[in-house]
Amino acid sequence: MTKGRGKTERLGREVFGPLGGIVEIGSVVDAGGGRPLSTISVSDFTARHRDELNRILAAVRDIGGFPPETMRIVDDLGWHRDHAITAASLLLWSGGVEAYSPLLEQPESVRRMLRAGADIQLVNLMHALVGAAAQRIPHRDPEDLVPLIVAVIDIAAALVGLGHATAVRDVFRMWRVAYLPGVLMPSSTTPAAIKQRFRTFAHILDARD
């Protein structure tokens, strides 16, 4: 595997990972409250939201300039195919917000994991999208790519039950706190050119109404 191809695949996996969390969380949210996790079907969710997921993947391809072999990683990961959703997987997506215990599947615990997991995975997704856009070869004008990033976050937020007017802005503000200093501070090992592109993307996103 060439160095360039390896980097492209890494950037793709960084995007597709949080999308897997969004699909699982969205499946549970879409099913309504109180249902046992074992009765929830990922394939039913992806079938109902096929158009939204296709729009996300088309935008991701354009944002990262990803070739077909990178986009096929989605099939390798299999998050769009039917699989069991467990309390343990929701715990992972939600960053351990609950204590691991036999009570983990109680409705209130599940609700907390869904809320935390939605926030975490949307922020992870925005960071991966900005990273892919900042490092794509050949470069594209950030002004052209920011609307695609916004569209992905907007659709993904709706899939996890956060389809309100300020959802993208809220995700941006969380991302700015959680990730941006680690990229932009002088102590960061991020190359100067990539820092500048991250900064440019952040400024454009911040200027949106």
Side-chain angles (χ1 to χ4, degrees):
M1 181 184 295
T2 66
K3 183 178 180 181
R5 180 179 173 187
K7 177 183 175 182
T8 300
E9 290 193 0
R10 174 181 60 78
L11 291 171
R13 287 182 182 277
E14 288 174 358
V15 174
F16 302 141
L19 279 175
I22 285 163
V23 165
E24 286 203 1
I25 292 165
S27 297
V28 180
V29 171
D30 199 53
R35 282 182 54 182
L37 296 178
S38 60
T39 68
I40 295 173
S41 170
V42 171
S43 61
D44 285 352
F45 174 80
T46 56
R48 283 193 298 272
H49 298 282
R50 188 174 308 280
D51 287 345
E52 296 100 309
L53 292 170
N54 285 341
R55 291 203 303 274
I56 285 175
L57 292 175
V60 165
R61 182 192 60 219
D62 290 346
I63 290 165
F66 293 135
E69 56 266 27
T70 299
M71 298 305 297
R72 283 195 289 269
I73 292 171
V74 173
D75 292 326
D76 295 338
L77 295 174
W79 50 250
H80 58 303
R81 295 192 293 270
D82 208 19
H83 61 274
I85 300 174
T86 66
S89 68
L90 293 182
L91 186 61
L92 277 175
W93 296 126
S94 62
V97 70
E98 291 288 287
Y100 186 79
S101 79
L103 305 178
L104 197 57
E105 204 167 326
Q106 288 189 335
E108 188 53 40
S109 293
V110 170
R111 281 193 290 271
R112 280 193 288 266
M113 290 189 290
L114 293 176
R115 288 193 294 265
D119 287 347
I120 290 169
Q121 299 314 316
L122 286 169
V123 170
N124 288 348
L125 178 59
M126 176 168 276
H127 188 60
L129 291 170
V130 174
Q135 298 177 70
R136 65 161 288 166
I137 301 295
H139 292 320
R140 284 267 304 276
D141 186 339
E143 292 281 2
D144 294 335
L145 295 178
V146 163
L148 297 176
I149 294 171
V150 168
V152 171
I153 298 300
D154 188 49
I155 297 168
L159 290 176
V160 295
L162 300 176
H164 51 75
T166 65
V168 175
R169 184 72 182 174
D170 292 345
V171 173
F172 165 72
R173 293 180 68 183
M174 290 188 287
W175 169 74
R176 184 172 57 186
V177 171
Y179 278 115
L180 207 52
V183 174
L184 298 182
M185 288 293 285
S187 58
S188 168
T189 60
T190 303
I194 302 300
K195 281 186 178 182
Q196 185 53 48
R197 288 181 66 80
F198 261 88
R199 187 174 285 115
T200 299
F201 278 105
H203 288 177
I204 297 170
L205 285 162
D206 190 33
R208 295 182 68 256
D209 292 336

Short mmCIF file of all heavy atoms in Angstrom, two decimals, residues 8-23 56-58 60-61 66-80 93 121 124-125 128-129:
data_model
loop_
_atom_site.label_atom_id
_atom_site.label_comp_id
_atom_site.label_asym_id
_atom_site.label_seq_id
_atom_site.Cartn_x
_atom_site.Cartn_y
_atom_site.Cartn_z
N THR A 8 -5.21 8.19 2.73
CA THR A 8 -6.60 8.37 2.28
C THR A 8 -7.52 7.39 2.99
O THR A 8 -8.62 7.76 3.43
CB THR A 8 -6.68 8.18 0.76
OG1 THR A 8 -5.85 9.15 0.11
CG2 THR A 8 -8.11 8.35 0.27
N GLU A 9 -7.09 6.14 3.12
CA GLU A 9 -7.93 5.15 3.80
C GLU A 9 -8.08 5.50 5.28
O GLU A 9 -9.16 5.32 5.86
CB GLU A 9 -7.34 3.76 3.63
CG GLU A 9 -7.45 3.25 2.19
CD GLU A 9 -7.17 1.76 2.08
OE1 GLU A 9 -6.90 1.11 3.11
OE2 GLU A 9 -7.24 1.25 0.94
N ARG A 10 -7.01 6.00 5.90
CA ARG A 10 -7.12 6.40 7.31
C ARG A 10 -8.13 7.53 7.47
O ARG A 10 -8.97 7.50 8.38
CB ARG A 10 -5.75 6.84 7.83
CG ARG A 10 -5.79 7.42 9.26
CD ARG A 10 -4.42 7.86 9.72
NE ARG A 10 -3.84 8.89 8.88
CZ ARG A 10 -4.18 10.18 8.94
NH1 ARG A 10 -5.13 10.60 9.78
NH2 ARG A 10 -3.60 11.07 8.15
N LEU A 11 -8.07 8.52 6.59
CA LEU A 11 -9.01 9.63 6.67
C LEU A 11 -10.45 9.14 6.45
O LEU A 11 -11.38 9.60 7.12
CB LEU A 11 -8.66 10.70 5.63
CG LEU A 11 -7.37 11.48 5.87
CD1 LEU A 11 -7.02 12.34 4.66
CD2 LEU A 11 -7.48 12.35 7.12
N GLY A 12 -10.61 8.19 5.53
CA GLY A 12 -11.94 7.63 5.30
C GLY A 12 -12.47 6.90 6.52
O GLY A 12 -13.63 7.09 6.91
N ARG A 13 -11.63 6.09 7.15
CA ARG A 13 -12.08 5.36 8.33
C ARG A 13 -12.42 6.30 9.48
O ARG A 13 -13.33 6.01 10.27
CB ARG A 13 -10.99 4.37 8.77
CG ARG A 13 -10.86 3.16 7.85
CD ARG A 13 -9.82 2.17 8.32
NE ARG A 13 -9.70 1.06 7.39
CZ ARG A 13 -10.51 0.00 7.39
NH1 ARG A 13 -11.48 -0.10 8.29
NH2 ARG A 13 -10.34 -0.96 6.51
N GLU A 14 -11.72 7.42 9.57
CA GLU A 14 -12.02 8.39 10.63
C GLU A 14 -13.40 9.00 10.43
O GLU A 14 -14.06 9.38 11.41
CB GLU A 14 -10.94 9.47 10.67
CG GLU A 14 -9.63 8.96 11.24
CD GLU A 14 -8.51 9.98 11.15
OE1 GLU A 14 -8.73 11.09 10.59
OE2 GLU A 14 -7.39 9.67 11.62
N VAL A 15 -13.85 9.09 9.19
CA VAL A 15 -15.21 9.57 8.91
C VAL A 15 -16.23 8.47 9.12
O VAL A 15 -17.27 8.66 9.76
CB VAL A 15 -15.31 10.12 7.47
CG1 VAL A 15 -16.76 10.48 7.14
CG2 VAL A 15 -14.41 11.32 7.28
N PHE A 16 -15.94 7.28 8.59
CA PHE A 16 -16.93 6.21 8.61
C PHE A 16 -17.15 5.65 10.02
O PHE A 16 -18.22 5.11 10.30
CB PHE A 16 -16.50 5.09 7.66
CG PHE A 16 -16.31 5.53 6.24
CD1 PHE A 16 -15.27 5.04 5.47
CD2 PHE A 16 -17.17 6.45 5.67
CE1 PHE A 16 -15.08 5.45 4.15
CE2 PHE A 16 -17.00 6.87 4.35
CZ PHE A 16 -15.95 6.37 3.59
N GLY A 17 -16.16 5.78 10.91
CA GLY A 17 -16.33 5.29 12.27
C GLY A 17 -17.50 5.96 12.99
O GLY A 17 -18.44 5.28 13.43
N PRO A 18 -17.48 7.30 13.15
CA PRO A 18 -18.60 7.94 13.82
C PRO A 18 -19.92 7.77 13.08
O PRO A 18 -20.99 7.78 13.71
CB PRO A 18 -18.19 9.42 13.91
CG PRO A 18 -17.02 9.59 13.01
CD PRO A 18 -16.38 8.24 12.91
N LEU A 19 -19.89 7.60 11.76
CA LEU A 19 -21.14 7.34 11.05
C LEU A 19 -21.76 6.03 11.52
O LEU A 19 -22.98 5.90 11.59
CB LEU A 19 -20.89 7.29 9.54
CG LEU A 19 -20.81 8.65 8.83
CD1 LEU A 19 -20.43 8.47 7.37
CD2 LEU A 19 -22.11 9.42 8.96
N GLY A 20 -20.92 5.05 11.86
CA GLY A 20 -21.45 3.80 12.42
C GLY A 20 -22.17 4.04 13.73
O GLY A 20 -23.24 3.46 13.99
N GLY A 21 -21.60 4.90 14.56
CA GLY A 21 -22.27 5.25 15.82
C GLY A 21 -23.57 5.97 15.58
O GLY A 21 -24.58 5.72 16.27
N ILE A 22 -23.59 6.87 14.61
CA ILE A 22 -24.80 7.61 14.30
C ILE A 22 -25.91 6.68 13.81
O ILE A 22 -27.08 6.84 14.18
CB ILE A 22 -24.48 8.73 13.28
CG1 ILE A 22 -23.74 9.85 14.01
CG2 ILE A 22 -25.74 9.26 12.60
CD1 ILE A 22 -23.01 10.80 13.12
N VAL A 23 -25.55 5.68 13.01
CA VAL A 23 -26.55 4.73 12.54
C VAL A 23 -27.12 3.91 13.71
O VAL A 23 -28.35 3.72 13.80
CB VAL A 23 -25.95 3.80 11.46
CG1 VAL A 23 -26.84 2.58 11.22
CG2 VAL A 23 -25.77 4.58 10.16
N ILE A 56 -25.33 11.63 2.55
CA ILE A 56 -24.15 11.75 3.41
C ILE A 56 -22.92 11.18 2.72
O ILE A 56 -21.86 11.82 2.66
CB ILE A 56 -24.39 11.06 4.77
CG1 ILE A 56 -25.32 11.90 5.65
CG2 ILE A 56 -23.06 10.81 5.50
CD1 ILE A 56 -25.70 11.24 6.96
N LEU A 57 -23.04 9.97 2.20
CA LEU A 57 -21.88 9.31 1.60
C LEU A 57 -21.41 10.03 0.34
O LEU A 57 -20.21 10.12 0.08
CB LEU A 57 -22.19 7.85 1.30
CG LEU A 57 -22.38 6.96 2.55
CD1 LEU A 57 -22.80 5.55 2.14
CD2 LEU A 57 -21.12 6.91 3.39
N ALA A 58 -22.35 10.57 -0.44
CA ALA A 58 -21.95 11.32 -1.64
C ALA A 58 -21.18 12.58 -1.24
O ALA A 58 -20.16 12.93 -1.86
CB ALA A 58 -23.19 11.69 -2.45
N VAL A 60 -19.51 13.02 1.62
CA VAL A 60 -18.23 12.58 2.19
C VAL A 60 -17.22 12.30 1.09
O VAL A 60 -16.05 12.70 1.17
CB VAL A 60 -18.44 11.32 3.07
CG1 VAL A 60 -17.12 10.63 3.37
CG2 VAL A 60 -19.16 11.68 4.36
N ARG A 61 -17.67 11.65 0.03
CA ARG A 61 -16.78 11.35 -1.11
C ARG A 61 -16.21 12.65 -1.68
O ARG A 61 -15.00 12.75 -1.95
CB ARG A 61 -17.56 10.61 -2.18
CG ARG A 61 -16.74 10.21 -3.40
CD ARG A 61 -17.66 9.75 -4.52
NE ARG A 61 -18.57 10.82 -4.91
CZ ARG A 61 -19.85 10.65 -5.24
NH1 ARG A 61 -20.39 9.45 -5.22
NH2 ARG A 61 -20.61 11.68 -5.59
N PHE A 66 -12.42 11.18 -2.00
CA PHE A 66 -12.13 9.77 -1.80
C PHE A 66 -12.39 8.96 -3.07
O PHE A 66 -13.45 9.08 -3.69
CB PHE A 66 -12.98 9.20 -0.66
CG PHE A 66 -12.65 9.76 0.70
CD1 PHE A 66 -13.66 10.15 1.57
CD2 PHE A 66 -11.33 9.89 1.11
CE1 PHE A 66 -13.36 10.66 2.82
CE2 PHE A 66 -11.01 10.39 2.36
CZ PHE A 66 -12.04 10.79 3.22
N PRO A 67 -11.46 8.08 -3.43
CA PRO A 67 -11.66 7.19 -4.58
C PRO A 67 -12.61 6.05 -4.21
O PRO A 67 -12.91 5.83 -3.02
CB PRO A 67 -10.25 6.68 -4.87
CG PRO A 67 -9.57 6.70 -3.54
CD PRO A 67 -10.13 7.89 -2.81
N PRO A 68 -13.07 5.27 -5.21
CA PRO A 68 -14.02 4.19 -4.93
C PRO A 68 -13.51 3.19 -3.89
O PRO A 68 -14.30 2.69 -3.07
CB PRO A 68 -14.22 3.53 -6.30
CG PRO A 68 -13.96 4.63 -7.27
CD PRO A 68 -12.87 5.46 -6.66
N GLU A 69 -12.21 2.88 -3.92
CA GLU A 69 -11.72 1.88 -2.96
C GLU A 69 -11.82 2.37 -1.53
O GLU A 69 -12.01 1.56 -0.61
CB GLU A 69 -10.28 1.47 -3.29
CG GLU A 69 -9.28 2.60 -3.35
CD GLU A 69 -9.08 3.14 -4.75
OE1 GLU A 69 -10.03 3.04 -5.57
OE2 GLU A 69 -7.98 3.67 -5.03
N THR A 70 -11.72 3.67 -1.31
CA THR A 70 -11.90 4.18 0.05
C THR A 70 -13.37 4.12 0.44
O THR A 70 -13.70 3.74 1.57
CB THR A 70 -11.39 5.63 0.14
OG1 THR A 70 -9.99 5.65 -0.16
CG2 THR A 70 -11.60 6.19 1.54
N MET A 71 -14.26 4.47 -0.48
CA MET A 71 -15.69 4.43 -0.16
C MET A 71 -16.16 3.01 0.11
O MET A 71 -17.11 2.80 0.87
CB MET A 71 -16.49 5.05 -1.31
CG MET A 71 -16.20 6.53 -1.56
SD MET A 71 -16.40 7.58 -0.10
CE MET A 71 -18.15 7.39 0.25
N ARG A 72 -15.47 2.02 -0.46
CA ARG A 72 -15.86 0.62 -0.21
C ARG A 72 -15.57 0.18 1.22
O ARG A 72 -16.05 -0.88 1.65
CB ARG A 72 -15.18 -0.31 -1.22
CG ARG A 72 -15.83 -0.29 -2.60
CD ARG A 72 -15.39 -1.46 -3.45
NE ARG A 72 -14.00 -1.35 -3.87
CZ ARG A 72 -13.60 -0.76 -4.99
NH1 ARG A 72 -14.48 -0.22 -5.81
NH2 ARG A 72 -12.32 -0.70 -5.30
N ILE A 73 -14.81 0.96 1.97
CA ILE A 73 -14.57 0.64 3.38
C ILE A 73 -15.90 0.56 4.13
O ILE A 73 -16.04 -0.19 5.10
CB ILE A 73 -13.63 1.68 4.01
CG1 ILE A 73 -12.23 1.56 3.41
CG2 ILE A 73 -13.56 1.52 5.53
CD1 ILE A 73 -11.27 2.67 3.82
N VAL A 74 -16.88 1.35 3.70
CA VAL A 74 -18.20 1.30 4.33
C VAL A 74 -18.74 -0.13 4.30
O VAL A 74 -19.30 -0.62 5.30
CB VAL A 74 -19.17 2.27 3.63
CG1 VAL A 74 -20.59 2.10 4.16
CG2 VAL A 74 -18.71 3.70 3.81
N ASP A 75 -18.59 -0.80 3.18
CA ASP A 75 -19.07 -2.18 3.09
C ASP A 75 -18.26 -3.10 4.00
O ASP A 75 -18.81 -4.01 4.62
CB ASP A 75 -18.97 -2.69 1.64
CG ASP A 75 -19.96 -1.98 0.72
OD1 ASP A 75 -21.05 -1.64 1.20
OD2 ASP A 75 -19.62 -1.78 -0.45
N ASP A 76 -16.96 -2.85 4.11
CA ASP A 76 -16.13 -3.66 4.99
C ASP A 76 -16.56 -3.50 6.45
O ASP A 76 -16.59 -4.48 7.21
CB ASP A 76 -14.65 -3.27 4.85
CG ASP A 76 -14.08 -3.56 3.47
OD1 ASP A 76 -14.66 -4.42 2.77
OD2 ASP A 76 -13.07 -2.93 3.11
N LEU A 77 -16.88 -2.27 6.85
CA LEU A 77 -17.27 -2.02 8.23
C LEU A 77 -18.66 -2.58 8.52
O LEU A 77 -18.93 -3.02 9.65
CB LEU A 77 -17.24 -0.51 8.51
CG LEU A 77 -15.86 0.14 8.45
CD1 LEU A 77 -15.97 1.66 8.61
CD2 LEU A 77 -14.94 -0.42 9.53
N GLY A 78 -19.54 -2.55 7.55
CA GLY A 78 -20.84 -3.20 7.69
C GLY A 78 -21.83 -2.52 8.60
O GLY A 78 -22.83 -3.14 8.98
N TRP A 79 -21.62 -1.24 8.92
CA TRP A 79 -22.56 -0.62 9.86
C TRP A 79 -23.94 -0.38 9.26
O TRP A 79 -24.91 -0.18 9.99
CB TRP A 79 -22.00 0.68 10.43
CG TRP A 79 -21.46 1.72 9.50
CD1 TRP A 79 -20.13 2.07 9.36
CD2 TRP A 79 -22.17 2.60 8.62
NE1 TRP A 79 -19.98 3.08 8.44
CE2 TRP A 79 -21.23 3.43 7.97
CE3 TRP A 79 -23.52 2.76 8.31
CZ2 TRP A 79 -21.58 4.40 7.03
CZ3 TRP A 79 -23.88 3.72 7.37
CH2 TRP A 79 -22.92 4.53 6.76
N HIS A 80 -24.06 -0.44 7.94
CA HIS A 80 -25.35 -0.23 7.29
C HIS A 80 -26.14 -1.54 7.16
O HIS A 80 -27.32 -1.51 6.79
CB HIS A 80 -25.15 0.39 5.90
CG HIS A 80 -24.29 -0.44 4.99
ND1 HIS A 80 -23.01 -0.81 5.33
CD2 HIS A 80 -24.53 -0.98 3.77
CE1 HIS A 80 -22.49 -1.53 4.34
NE2 HIS A 80 -23.39 -1.64 3.39
N TRP A 93 -20.10 4.17 22.28
CA TRP A 93 -20.38 5.37 21.50
C TRP A 93 -20.55 6.59 22.39
O TRP A 93 -20.25 7.72 21.98
CB TRP A 93 -21.65 5.19 20.66
CG TRP A 93 -21.59 4.13 19.61
CD1 TRP A 93 -22.47 3.09 19.45
CD2 TRP A 93 -20.64 4.00 18.54
NE1 TRP A 93 -22.13 2.32 18.37
CE2 TRP A 93 -21.01 2.85 17.79
CE3 TRP A 93 -19.51 4.72 18.15
CZ2 TRP A 93 -20.28 2.43 16.67
CZ3 TRP A 93 -18.79 4.30 17.04
CH2 TRP A 93 -19.17 3.17 16.32
N GLN A 121 -20.50 11.55 18.81
CA GLN A 121 -20.27 11.07 17.45
C GLN A 121 -20.45 12.17 16.41
O GLN A 121 -19.74 12.19 15.39
CB GLN A 121 -21.17 9.87 17.15
CG GLN A 121 -20.92 8.67 18.06
CD GLN A 121 -19.44 8.35 18.22
OE1 GLN A 121 -18.68 8.33 17.25
NE2 GLN A 121 -19.01 8.08 19.45
N ASN A 124 -17.18 14.06 16.66
CA ASN A 124 -16.14 13.25 16.00
C ASN A 124 -16.28 13.30 14.49
O ASN A 124 -15.27 13.37 13.75
CB ASN A 124 -16.21 11.80 16.47
CG ASN A 124 -15.75 11.61 17.90
OD1 ASN A 124 -15.16 12.52 18.49
ND2 ASN A 124 -16.01 10.46 18.47
N LEU A 125 -17.53 13.27 14.01
CA LEU A 125 -17.76 13.32 12.57
C LEU A 125 -17.32 14.67 12.00
O LEU A 125 -16.67 14.71 10.95
CB LEU A 125 -19.24 13.06 12.28
CG LEU A 125 -19.66 13.12 10.81
CD1 LEU A 125 -18.90 12.09 9.98
CD2 LEU A 125 -21.17 12.90 10.68
N ALA A 128 -13.57 14.72 11.77
CA ALA A 128 -13.08 13.88 10.68
C ALA A 128 -13.33 14.52 9.32
O ALA A 128 -12.49 14.44 8.43
CB ALA A 128 -13.74 12.50 10.75
N LEU A 129 -14.48 15.17 9.17
CA LEU A 129 -14.80 15.82 7.90
C LEU A 129 -13.87 17.00 7.63
O LEU A 129 -13.36 17.17 6.52
CB LEU A 129 -16.25 16.28 7.89
CG LEU A 129 -17.32 15.19 7.87
CD1 LEU A 129 -18.69 15.79 8.11
CD2 LEU A 129 -17.29 14.42 6.55
#
